[in-house]
């Protein structure tokens, strides 16, 4: 089990694992970890993996997310030519190179960030999404480079850049190189600003550490999914440091909204439409319906 | 000030005690034992040299946190004149874990910003062990914008275990404060020279460490996570800190090889805390050289170089896609 999964309450563990533990035919039924309702998997999926009973937002893969968000035509992947190397020959109880192989097997992705060029309601965009199941969505050199290449394409195409975060933070196995990705990704955004192109940051469960403390809060608009865990330091570290009980709902999206840290919370089922509206408003275009009618 | 010796310096410590005792005897004895003292001092020096020639990353980490190591305010006192400390983030509070203000460096106006740790229990608490809260980073950003407005170069001094992990810090947007600094420092239209003087603790260090030149003291460390933190996560035991320090690559020499540090500043024998004056002199010269170098660039050129360097961070391979 990765260190990051260990940090999480068992009930938020990913769907695949939960299914494996129950001796139910693969993915046919699913128990909502929030309200315990037993859901038919196909129904859940039709509902964007949001529980129809309690609106709990289940974690989803980066591909699924991008697939639901983007128009089906005209998608191009950016940065898939960039792959990890184990520069430090990092080894704890396991080698970093072995961890990479495992993560690839588990997710069928070759790193924790996937970037696509495409469109939302025919509005051109570049969208990046973190794959949390790939080493806790940790940000190393590849994630940083793909992010930057995504920004570059947005600049070339003069279109907005959207990023869905889901990450435990920097990838320890790349040492200081991973810390520097915080500076690299944040610096890339200065170019988008200069070109007056919107950057919309969507924080999903969980967005922590080095990802949270770099580009994630630099959005022109910062959105969170309901109930997402978002913060700099993990709850366990804070508890060990301050030795006080944490307030209710601490570091959840609703808590952040209340404290003025984010602009809005958007239900996943509304996300595509909301993003399109925001983009048209920021870029002074007509409403989506009018654009589509034209 | 009596030197505090680290675990791995025990032999030196014993020798120094002996020298101390002999000196005491010397004072009220007719016998001349200065030869003997001289001999022991030489021995102590060569022993220190031997130990410091082969410090492990974990031992270097101990030196970087040495309780007598010079802190930002020590450097400010020795390297600058006319220091005018500026306080507060204008929104919530003044954070004593980050100090900053205007000063003169060899006559030239500069903005100095750095983490500040405390010397004794009371001051350590006051400085929050050098762990800034969001208001500290926001103060730093305010001072940087001020420097930019008046075309004043910025020098930052990095020495923190990390940004403070606390409830209030989270409520007031620790993440946003750090992220915003990274963004601002990437585009700030004035020279920024960063020096890691002690502990470069993760994002809390990086938040004032983006600039045109990265200097690092010989026994300073800079890491994505503390060796203890890394060990407790990956080895499930903080006792493996030494292994973690090794594999994380946190030392100045290692980071220079990786291209993340430009210049290593040599420390006096036994570390900066053994000889403040010598440390200050070496650093002052390097800072002036670096400042001259950065200032010799046209502003546009400087910003482009800073940006290119930020974009160059990272190691990966590229494959041909069919």
């Amino acid at each position: 089990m990765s260190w990051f999964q260990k940090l999480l309450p068992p009930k938020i563990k990913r769907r695949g694992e939960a299914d494996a533990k129950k001796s139910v035919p693969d993915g046919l039924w699913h128990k909502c970890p929030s309200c315990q309702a037993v859901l038919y998997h196909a129904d859940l999926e039709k509902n964007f993996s949001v529980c129809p009973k309690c609106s709990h937002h289940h974690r989803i893969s980066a591909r699924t997310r991008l697939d639901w968000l983007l128009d089906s035509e005209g998608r191009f992947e950016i940065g898939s030519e960039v792959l990890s190397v184990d520069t430090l020959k990092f080894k704890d109880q396991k080698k970093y190179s072995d961890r990479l192989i495992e993560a690839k097997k588990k997710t069928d992705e070759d790193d924790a960030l996937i970037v696509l060029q495409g469109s939302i309601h025919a509005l051109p965009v570049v969208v990046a999404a973190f794959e949390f199941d790939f080493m806790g969505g940790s940000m190393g050199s590849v994630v940083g480079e793909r992010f930057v290449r995504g920004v570059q394409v947005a600049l070339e195409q003069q279109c907005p850049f959207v990023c869905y975060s889901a990450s435990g933070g920097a990838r320890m196995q790349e040492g200081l190189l991973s810390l520097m990705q915080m500076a690299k990704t944040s610096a890339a955004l200065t170019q988008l600003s200069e070109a007056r192109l919107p950057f919309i940051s969507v924080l999903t469960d969980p967005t922590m550490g080095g990802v949270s403390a770099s580009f994630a809060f630099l959005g022109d608009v910062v959105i969170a999914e309901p109930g997402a865990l978002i913060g700099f330091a993990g709850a366990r570290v804070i508890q060990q440091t301050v030795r006080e009980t944490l307030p209710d709902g601490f570091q959840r999206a609703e808590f952040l909204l209340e404290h003025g840290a984010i602009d809005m919370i958007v239900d996943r089922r509304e996300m595509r439409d909301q993003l399109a509206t925001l983009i048209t408003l920021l870029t002074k275009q007509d409403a989506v319906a009018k654009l589509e009618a034209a | 000030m009596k030197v505090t010796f680290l675990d791995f310096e025990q032999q030196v410590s014993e020798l120094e005690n002996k020298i101390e005792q002999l000196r005491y005897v010397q004072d009220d004895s007719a016998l001349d034992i200065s030869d003997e003292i001289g001999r022991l001092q030489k021995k102590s020096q060569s022993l220190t040299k031997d130990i410091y020639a082969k410090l492990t990353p974990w031992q270097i980490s101990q030196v970087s946190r040495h309780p007598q190591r010079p802190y930002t305010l020590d450097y400010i006192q020795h390297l600058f004149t006319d220091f005018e400390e500026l306080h507060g983030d204008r929104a919530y509070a003044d954070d004593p874990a980050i100090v900053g203000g205007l000063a003169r460096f060899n006559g030239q106006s500069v903005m100095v910003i750095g983490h500040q740790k405390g010397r004794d229990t009371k001051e350590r608490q006051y400085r929050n062990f050098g762990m800034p809260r969001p208001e500290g980073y926001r103060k730093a950003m305010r001072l940087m914008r001020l420097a930019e407005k008046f075309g004043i170069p910025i020098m930052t001094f990095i020495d923190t275990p990390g940004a403070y992990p606390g409830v209030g810090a989270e409520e007031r947007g620790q993440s946003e404060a750090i992220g915003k600094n990274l963004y601002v420092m990437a585009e700030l239209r004035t020279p920024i020279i960063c020096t890691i003087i002690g502990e470069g603790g993760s994002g809390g260090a990086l938040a004032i460490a983006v600039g045109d030149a990265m200097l690092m003291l010989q026994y300073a460390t800079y890491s994505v996570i503390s060796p203890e933190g890394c060990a407790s996560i990956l080895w499930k035991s903080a006792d493996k800190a030494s292994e973690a320090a090794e594999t994380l690559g946190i030392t100045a020499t290692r980071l220079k090889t990786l291209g993340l540090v430009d210049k290593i500043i040599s420390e006096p024998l036994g570390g900066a805390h053994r000889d403040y004056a010598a440390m200050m002199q070496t650093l002052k010269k390097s800072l002036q050289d670096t400042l001259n170098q950065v200032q010799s660039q046209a502003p546009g050129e400087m910003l482009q170089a800073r940006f290119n360097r930020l974009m160059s961070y990272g190691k990966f391979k590229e494959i041909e896609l069919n």
Side-chain angles (χ1 to χ4, degrees):
Chain A
M1 200 187 293
S2 82
W3 63 271
F4 197 81
Q5 282 172 305
K6 228 177 175 174
L7 280 175
L8 300 167
K11 63 175 185 177
I12 326 186
K13 280 216 190 107
R14 52 184 289 272
R15 196 169 61 211
E17 263 182 30
D19 284 346
K21 271 174 214 151
K22 289 178 289 169
S23 54
V24 179
D26 247 10
L28 191 53
W29 294 99
H30 176 79
K31 194 170 173 186
C32 173
S34 178
C35 71
Q36 317 297 320
V38 178
L39 308 163
Y40 187 45
H41 195 165
D43 287 346
L44 184 62
E45 201 138 283
K46 240 187 276 166
N47 205 35
F48 297 94
S49 285
V50 175
C51 175
K53 302 265 194 283
C54 74
S55 291
H56 173 75
H57 281 52
H58 291 77
R59 283 186 185 164
I60 54 173
S61 74
R63 286 279 165 200
T64 308
R65 198 177 272 294
L66 291 168
D67 194 42
W68 285 342
L69 178 72
L70 291 170
D71 299 341
S72 49
E73 298 298 309
R75 299 176 182 179
F76 301 98
E77 184 152 358
I78 300 163
S80 57
E81 68 280 9
V82 181
L83 298 175
S84 303
V85 288
D86 180 12
T87 310
L88 298 181
K89 302 270 169 278
F90 194 98
K91 187 171 179 284
D92 48 272
Q93 290 169 320
K94 240 184 237 174
K95 281 191 208 157
Y96 176 37
S97 48
D98 290 341
R99 283 188 195 268
L100 283 170
I101 294 167
E102 272 172 41
K104 279 174 199 172
K105 257 193 214 146
K106 182 175 166 192
T107 59
D108 211 19
E109 300 292 351
D110 45 32
D111 216 300
L113 190 76
I114 294 146
V115 189
L116 293 184
Q117 181 191 344
S119 57
I120 305 172
H121 286 300
L123 299 160
V125 282
V126 173
V127 187
F130 275 78
E131 177 52 66
F132 184 71
D133 280 346
F134 194 102
M135 296 188 74
S138 56
M139 177 161 68
S141 299
V142 171
V143 169
E145 181 66 17
R146 286 183 180 175
F147 186 95
V148 167
R149 290 186 186 200
V151 170
Q152 279 163 355
V153 173
L155 285 165
E156 284 159 24
Q157 303 293 322
Q158 291 286 297
C159 70
F161 183 69
V162 178
C163 181
Y164 280 96
S165 307
S167 171
R171 188 172 294 171
M172 273 181 286
Q173 289 84 352
E174 291 188 22
L176 201 69
L177 287 164
S178 68
L179 191 75
M180 291 305 151
Q181 303 312 308
M182 293 169 65
K184 178 173 175 170
T185 50
S186 303
L189 294 174
T190 61
Q191 287 198 314
L192 275 183
S193 284
E194 220 167 284
R196 299 281 178 266
L197 294 169
F199 168 47
I200 300 179
S201 178
V202 186
L203 316 178
T204 76
D205 190 52
T207 299
M208 301 296 292
V211 166
S212 166
S214 55
F215 59 83
F217 277 100
L218 294 175
D220 295 307
V221 179
V222 181
I223 302 172
E225 277 196 340
L229 187 73
I230 302 157
F232 175 68
R236 198 181 55 172
V237 174
I238 296 174
Q239 259 166 340
Q240 281 168 357
T241 314
V242 299
R243 302 190 187 288
E244 52 183 280
T245 46
L246 303 176
D248 271 353
F250 183 61
Q251 292 184 328
R252 294 286 168 189
E254 296 71 18
F255 182 91
L256 269 84
L257 185 69
E258 198 183 306
H259 284 86
I262 56 174
D263 287 294
M264 58 181 90
I265 296 173
V266 174
D267 190 296
R268 187 181 292 157
R269 293 163 288 189
E270 316 286 324
M271 192 69 83
R272 182 173 143 89
D273 293 349
Q274 285 260 20
L275 282 175
T277 303
L278 280 167
I279 288 169
T280 53
L281 288 168
L282 283 167
T283 53
K284 296 179 277 189
Q285 299 183 71
D286 284 339
V288 174
K290 207 169 164 188
L291 284 174
E292 281 182 342
Chain B
M1 184 171 59
K2 200 167 181 317
V3 177
T4 306
F5 289 98
L6 299 164
D7 282 354
F8 57 86
E9 297 177 304
Q10 270 324 304
Q11 279 177 292
V12 182
S13 170
E14 280 159 24
L15 269 173
E16 290 294 328
N17 275 337
K18 207 163 172 190
I19 294 167
E20 196 63 27
Q21 279 166 4
L22 283 177
R23 280 217 182 98
Y24 186 72
V25 174
Q26 171 85 83
D27 283 346
D28 43 26
S29 121
L31 217 68
D32 185 16
I33 44 176
S34 57
D35 278 359
E36 175 68 1
I37 293 177
R39 195 184 63 80
L40 286 175
Q41 273 173 331
K42 245 189 205 145
K43 199 172 162 196
S44 166
Q45 281 218 348
S46 79
L47 194 60
T48 309
K49 218 178 210 165
D50 288 349
I51 293 172
Y52 274 73
K54 41 178 197 265
L55 287 184
T56 65
W58 177 234
Q59 288 169 333
I60 290 175
S61 182
Q62 305 304 303
V63 180
S64 78
R65 300 170 185 172
H66 195 285
Q68 291 166 325
R69 200 167 169 84
Y71 296 150
T72 295
L73 284 173
D74 298 308
Y75 288 103
I76 289 177
Q77 192 195 331
H78 289 89
L79 301 179
F80 302 89
T81 52
D82 284 349
F83 176 56
E84 294 286 348
E85 185 169 359
L86 304 174
H87 293 274
D89 70 344
R90 298 292 185 273
Y92 180 77
D94 183 45
D95 184 353
I98 288 189
V99 293
L102 291 158
R104 229 176 264 288
F105 181 70
N106 289 329
Q108 185 184 353
S109 292
V110 291
M111 183 67 82
V112 192
I113 298 166
H115 300 102
Q116 181 63 34
K117 294 178 173 176
R119 273 302 157 211
D120 54 32
T121 313
K122 207 173 145 200
E123 205 205 344
R124 274 186 201 121
Q125 250 165 17
Y126 171 65
R127 301 284 179 191
N128 200 27
F129 304 88
M131 293 187 285
R133 298 179 166 96
E135 38 281 12
Y137 294 115
R138 291 181 181 134
K139 166 168 72 178
M141 184 175 68
R142 186 175 74 79
L143 302 192
M144 289 191 261
R145 285 291 190 204
L146 179 62
E148 180 186 44
K149 179 174 170 183
F150 292 98
I152 295 170
I154 298 165
M155 290 184 181
T156 69
F157 295 92
I158 291 99
D159 187 14
T160 179
Y164 186 61
V167 174
E170 293 287 327
E171 286 173 338
R172 297 192 296 279
Q174 187 73 289
S175 287
E176 192 272 349
I178 294 171
K180 183 57 77 60
N181 278 17
L182 303 181
Y183 179 94
V184 167
M185 294 181 94
E187 61 160 17
L188 206 73
R189 304 187 150 268
T190 199
I192 308 173
I193 295 164
C194 313
T195 310
I196 317 277
I197 55 171
E199 248 183 305
S202 196
L206 181 67
I208 58 165
V210 177
D212 302 295
M214 280 295 299
L215 312 185
M216 185 161 174
L217 265 50
Q218 190 179 1
Y219 303 125
T221 56
Y222 193 9
S223 181
V224 63
I225 184 169
S226 72
E228 296 95 322
C230 180
S232 68
I233 293 170
L234 293 180
W235 280 266
K236 327 275 180 231
S237 150
D239 303 341
K240 301 284 183 185
S242 163
E243 275 104 314
E246 194 81 44
T247 192
L248 277 167
I250 61 176
T251 62
T253 39
R254 195 76 198 279
L255 295 173
K256 183 144 191 292
T257 318
L258 288 171
L260 302 176
V261 163
D262 299 311
K263 191 175 162 70
I264 301 174
I265 315 295
S266 314
E267 295 193 25
L269 181 62
H273 60 281
R274 298 287 292 269
D275 190 346
Y276 272 36
M279 186 69 251
M280 300 296 159
Q281 207 181 355
T282 320
L283 182 57
K284 192 170 188 177
K285 188 178 176 310
S286 288
L287 279 175
Q288 186 65 65
D289 291 348
T290 311
L291 184 60
N292 293 344
Q293 216 175 332
V294 176
Q295 280 180 328
S296 71
Q297 296 171 296
E301 200 185 323
M302 175 188 80
L303 282 176
Q304 191 59 51
R306 190 190 301 164
F307 187 79
N308 292 348
R309 164 208 190 80
L310 284 163
M311 290 308 118
S312 76
Y313 287 147
K315 302 271 183 204
F316 50 84
K317 64 182 174 201
E318 256 187 284
I319 53 159
E320 289 278 336
L321 291 177
N322 345 311

